[in-house]
C-alpha cells in the first residue's frame, strides 16, 4: 500500500507559512469608553466582504440606527510603542517590523532563545466594539512554528508559562510583558478584559489559525489532519488523533471540478478556528489580510452573541430587584439584542460553507442555548416587574382608601355640624341632595342589570 497524501505532502507541510489572530474578549461601560481616542487613533473598517449577506454587513454600519457594532483597525506600532515604553535602552526604530520578538518558557534563560524557532511578528490589530458593552481585540501575529503559538496560548491551563523578549540593535535580549503593553493600550480606549482573572489575557483568547502551503489537496483526510494539528497547536506534520475532541467540526472549500482538488479547509471548535490554504505564492501576509476581511467579522459576530449573553447574566445578578428603572433599561437592551443583534446561520451568507462555519461556532459555544435563555430571563424580568408594580399599586390604593374613609368621616361630621346649626333651607337642600344621589344610584343599578 502506498503512502497517503498527507504522508507524501509532509515535506511541503513542514514549510508552511503560519499566522494567527488572537481574539481577546473585552468589556466597557458608557462612562469609561473613550470614543474620542478611538476615532482619533483607529481607522474605521467598512465591512465589504462578499462572504456575508448585505443585511448582515449593515450590522457593522454606524449609519444604521440598529447596528450591532463598529469595526476598526489600529496600527501595530501603537502596541509596539507600549512595549518600548516598558523597556530600557531600546530604540523604537528597530522594532517597526516587530521581527525580533520571541517567547520562551518562563523557566528558561535569555541565552536559550532560538530567534528562528521562538520568534514572532506583530502584524495587525483589529478592534470590534459592540452596543452591548462588549468588545474584541484581534492581535495578528506571524510565527515560524506552532510551538510558538502554543507557548503564548498555553491552552487548557489557568496560568501563563511564558516570558517575552525583545532584541535590540546590539543583539541584547530584553524581557517585557506583552500583557501589560496590551492592557496599557486598551486602557487608553477605556476597554478592559472581560474576565478579571489576573492571569494572562491569552488564556481566554479565541485563536484564529492560518497556514499556507503551496500545493492543493486531493483528499479531505489531509485537510482534517493538518487543521486538527493547528487546533491542537502542534507541528502540522504529526499523525495524531484524539477521540476526546468531540466538539470538532470540519468545513471545506468546494472541490474544483477541473483540477479535482480542494483549495482550503477549516477545523471549528469552541476556542479555535483553523484554516489550511493552498497558495502557490505562499503569501501569508496577503492571506491574513483576506481572512481579516472575510473571516474576522464572522467570528466577531459569534463571539459578540456569546459574551453579550454572559454580560446580561452578570448584570442580572448585580441589579437590585427593586431598582425598576435599571430593570426596565436592562430588559429593553435584552429585547433589542434578541431582535436586532442575533443572526440565524441561514441568513449569514449565500455560501453554504460559510453558513456551516458560523453554525458550528454557535453550536460549540452553546450560543443558541444562551440566546434562548435570554427569553427566559426576559420573562422572569417581566413577571418580577409586574409583581413589583402590583405591590406598589396595592399600596397606593390602600393609602387612597384610608384617605377616602377619613375624608368621608370628615364630610359626615361637617354635615352634622351644618344640620345642628342650620336653618330650614339647609335641611331641605341636604335632604333633596341625598334623595337625588340615591335615585341616581338606583337608576344606575337598574340600567346595569338590564344590560
Amino acid at each position: 500500500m502506498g503512502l497517503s497524501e498527507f504522508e507524501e505532502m509532509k515535506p511541503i507541510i513542514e514549510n508552511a507559512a503560519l499566522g494567527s489572530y488572537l481574539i481577546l474578549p473585552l468589556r466597557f461601560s458608557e462612562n469609561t469608553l473613550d470614543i474620542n481616542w478611538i476615532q482619533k487613533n483607529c481607522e474605521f473598517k467598512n465591512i465589504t466582504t462578499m462572504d456575508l449577506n448585505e443585511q448582515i454587513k449593515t450590522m457593522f454600519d454606524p449609519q444604521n440606527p440598529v447596528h450591532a457594532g463598529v469595526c476598526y483597525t489600529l496600527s501595530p506600532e501603537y502596541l509596539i510603542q507600549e512595549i518600548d515604553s516598558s523597556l530600557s535602552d531600546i530604540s523604537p526604530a528597530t522594532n517597526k517590523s516587530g521581527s525580533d520578538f520571541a517567547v520562551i518558557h518562563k523557566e528558561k534563560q535569555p541565552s536559550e532563545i532560538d530567534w528562528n524557532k521562538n520568534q514572532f511578528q506583530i502584524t495587525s490589530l483589529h478592534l470590534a466594539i459592540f452596543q452591548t458593552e462588549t468588545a474584541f481585540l484581534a492581535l495578528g501575529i506571524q510565527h515560524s512554528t506552532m510551538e510558538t503559538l502554543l507557548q503564548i496560548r498555553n491552552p487548557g491551563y489557568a496560568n501563563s508559562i511564558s516570558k517575552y523578549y525583545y532584541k535590540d540593535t546590539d543583539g541584547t535580549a530584553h524581557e517585557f510583558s506583552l500583557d501589560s503593553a496590551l492592557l496599557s493600550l486598551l486602557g487608553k480606549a477605556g476597554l478592559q478584559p472581560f474576565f478579571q482573572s489576573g492571569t494572562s489575557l491569552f488564556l481566554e483568547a479565541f485563536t484564529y489559525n492560518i497556514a499556507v502551503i503551496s500545493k492543493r489537496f486531493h483528499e479531505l483526510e489531509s485537510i482534517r489532519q493538518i487543521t486538527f494539528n493547528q487546533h491542537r497547536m502542534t507541528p502540522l506534520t504529526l499523525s495524531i488523533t484524539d477521540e476526546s475532541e468531540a466538539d470538532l467540526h470540519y468545513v471545506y472549500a468546494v472541490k474544483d471540478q477541473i483540477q479535482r482538488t480542494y483549495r482550503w479547509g477549516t477545523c471549528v471548535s469552541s476556542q479555535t478556528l483553523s484554516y489550511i490554504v493552498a497558495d502557490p505564492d505562499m503569501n501569508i501576509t496577503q492571506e491574513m489580510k483576506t481572512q481579516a476581511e472575510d473571516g474576522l467579522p464572522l467570528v466577531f459576530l459569534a463571539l459578540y452573541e456569546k459574551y453579550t449573553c454572559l454580560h446580561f447574566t452578570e448584570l442580572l445578578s448585580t441589579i437590585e430587584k427593586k431598582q425598576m428603572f435599571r430593570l426596565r433599561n436592562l430588559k429593553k437592551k435584552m429585547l433589542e439584542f434578541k431582535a436586532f443583534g442575533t443572526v440565524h446561520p441561514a441568513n449569514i451568507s449565500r455560501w453554504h460553507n460559510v453558513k456551516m462555519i458560523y453554525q458550528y461556532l454557535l453550536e460549540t459555544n452553546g450560543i443558541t442555548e444562551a440566546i434562548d435563555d435570554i427569553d427566559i430571563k426576559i420573562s422572569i424580568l417581566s413577571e418580577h416587574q409586574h409583581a413589583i408594580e402590583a405591590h406598589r399599586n396595592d399600596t397606593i390604593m390602600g393609602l387612597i382608601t384610608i384617605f377616602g374613609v377619613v375624608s368621608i368621616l370628615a364630610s359626615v361630621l361637617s354635615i352634622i355640624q351644618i344640620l345642628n346649626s342650620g336653618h330650614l333651607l339647609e335641611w331641605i337642600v341636604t335632604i333633596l341632595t341625598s334623595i337625588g344621589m340615591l335615585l341616581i344610584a338606583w337608576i344606575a343599578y337598574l340600567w346595569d342589570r338590564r344590560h
Side-chain angles (χ1 to χ4, degrees):
M1 181 180 293
L3 294 175
S4 66
E5 180 188 51
F6 175 72
E7 294 293 333
E8 292 177 348
M9 292 181 66
K10 279 188 175 182
I12 297 175
I13 299 170
E14 284 180 343
N15 295 319
L18 305 175
S20 300
Y21 288 107
L22 304 174
I23 305 176
L24 309 177
L26 310 169
R27 67 170 69 206
F28 62 91
S29 68
E30 295 180 0
N31 298 328
T32 61
L33 186 67
D34 193 341
I35 193 64
N36 292 327
W37 187 93
I38 293 172
Q39 292 177 345
K40 179 180 179 181
N41 297 281
C42 301
E43 181 180 353
F44 168 73
K45 180 65 176 177
N46 189 28
I47 305 301
T48 59
T49 175
M50 297 306 294
D51 282 0
L52 300 180
N53 287 333
E54 294 301 318
Q55 182 181 2
I56 304 304
K57 286 187 278 190
T58 61
M59 296 179 67
F60 294 99
D61 183 2
Q63 302 302 319
N64 179 11
V66 292
H67 70 282
V70 182
C71 290
Y72 300 92
T73 58
L74 184 64
S75 171
E77 291 184 12
Y78 283 94
L79 179 57
I80 292 171
Q81 289 171 5
E82 296 295 332
I83 294 172
D84 288 341
S85 66
S86 65
L87 302 173
S88 60
D89 301 326
I90 301 296
S91 173
T94 64
N95 205 20
K96 293 298 182 181
S97 67
S99 60
D100 288 326
F101 290 121
V103 57
I104 59 173
H105 195 279
K106 63 181 180 181
E107 295 182 357
K108 291 187 176 182
Q109 300 301 316
S111 59
E112 300 179 73
I113 299 174
D114 184 335
W115 288 97
N116 292 318
K117 181 180 178 181
N118 306 129
Q119 170 267 335
F120 68 94
Q121 295 176 307
I122 298 174
T123 58
S124 61
L125 295 170
H126 301 266
L127 180 64
I129 299 176
F130 291 93
Q131 300 281 36
T132 53
E133 299 182 347
T134 57
F136 303 93
L137 178 71
L139 171 63
I141 64 171
Q142 292 182 21
H143 44 96
S144 55
T145 65
M146 292 303 296
E147 290 89 335
T148 299
L149 181 64
L150 181 67
Q151 186 68 51
I152 295 174
R153 282 282 284 104
N154 195 28
Y157 296 90
N159 297 302
S160 173
I161 57 171
S162 304
K163 289 194 298 186
Y164 298 90
Y165 288 89
Y166 168 82
K167 184 167 62 175
D168 64 17
T169 53
D170 297 329
T172 304
H174 299 262
E175 184 179 355
F176 70 94
S177 171
L178 184 56
D179 287 75
S180 297
L182 283 165
L183 287 172
S184 178
L185 180 62
L186 293 171
K188 293 180 179 179
L191 300 167
Q192 59 183 357
F194 193 91
F195 299 106
Q196 301 287 347
S197 60
T199 56
S200 174
L201 298 173
F202 299 109
L203 299 181
E204 298 292 343
F206 182 94
T207 310
Y208 191 134
N209 292 319
I210 305 158
V212 177
I213 64 173
S214 59
K215 185 179 178 181
R216 295 169 68 100
F217 301 93
H218 287 88
E219 300 175 5
L220 294 179
E221 182 57 38
S222 303
I223 295 176
R224 284 194 290 267
Q225 185 63 73
I226 296 172
T227 54
F228 178 76
N229 291 339
Q230 286 179 278
H231 158 72
R232 293 292 298 267
M233 301 178 196
T234 57
L236 302 188
T237 54
L238 290 183
S239 300
I240 58 173
T241 59
D242 189 346
E243 296 300 327
S244 68
E245 297 272 11
D247 68 335
L248 299 184
H249 301 275
Y250 298 92
V251 182
Y252 314 97
V254 175
K255 187 175 185 179
D256 187 295
Q257 295 303 310
I258 298 177
Q259 301 185 53
R260 301 288 183 180
T261 56
Y262 302 92
R263 191 179 73 86
W264 62 264
T266 183
C267 174
V268 186
S269 75
S270 59
Q271 291 185 308
T272 62
L273 182 63
S274 302
Y275 275 90
I276 180 66
V277 182
D279 175 17
D281 298 327
M282 294 282 290
N283 192 338
I284 183 63
T285 300
Q286 181 57 49
E287 186 59 37
M288 289 194 67
K289 290 181 180 179
T290 300
Q291 294 292 340
E293 292 279 345
D294 298 336
L296 275 184
L298 189 77
V299 177
F300 282 153
L301 274 178
L303 294 179
Y304 149 70
E305 295 180 27
K306 172 184 178 178
Y307 284 92
T308 294
C309 293
L310 291 174
H311 180 58
F312 283 151
T313 300
E314 183 179 10
L315 288 178
L316 277 172
S317 66
T318 58
I319 291 179
E320 291 291 336
K321 302 308 180 186
K322 295 183 179 180
Q323 295 177 332
M324 288 299 297
F325 175 78
R326 292 189 65 190
L327 281 174
R328 289 195 193 97
N329 189 42
L330 178 58
K331 180 181 176 182
K332 177 184 176 183
K333 289 182 177 180
M334 292 170 70
L335 287 170
E336 288 177 345
F337 165 70
K338 190 73 168 61
F340 307 114
T342 59
V343 182
H344 191 276
N347 302 324
I348 196 75
S349 174
R350 62 176 60 85
W351 310 116
H352 178 71
N353 45 24
V354 176
K355 292 179 183 179
M356 295 309 299
I357 292 171
Y358 181 70
Q359 178 176 322
Y360 291 146
L361 285 172
L362 298 185
E363 289 180 2
T364 55
N365 282 281
I367 297 173
T368 302
E369 292 79 5
I371 293 173
D372 291 339
D373 190 52
I374 291 292
D375 283 333
I376 299 175
K377 290 181 171 62
I378 291 174
S379 299
I380 293 174
L381 276 180
S382 297
E383 292 177 4
H384 188 71
Q385 281 182 274
H386 292 327
I388 292 177
E389 290 172 353
H391 178 72
R392 183 179 59 188
N393 291 337
D394 291 343
T395 303
I396 293 174
M397 291 304 298
L399 292 174
I400 291 174
T401 301
I402 293 173
F403 284 116
V405 171
V406 173
S407 177
I408 291 171
L409 292 174
S411 299
V412 170
L413 292 174
S414 298
I415 292 172
I416 293 173
Q417 290 176 355
I418 291 173
L419 295 178
N420 285 336
S421 60
H423 300 288
L424 179 61
L425 178 61
E426 293 172 337
W427 275 86
I428 294 172
V429 170
T430 301
I431 293 171
L432 291 176
T433 301
S434 299
I435 293 173
M437 293 177 64
L438 289 173
L439 287 174
I440 293 172
W442 179 252
I443 292 170
Y445 171 74
L446 294 177
W447 180 269
D448 182 65
R449 290 193 62 183
R450 289 179 61 185
H451 294 83

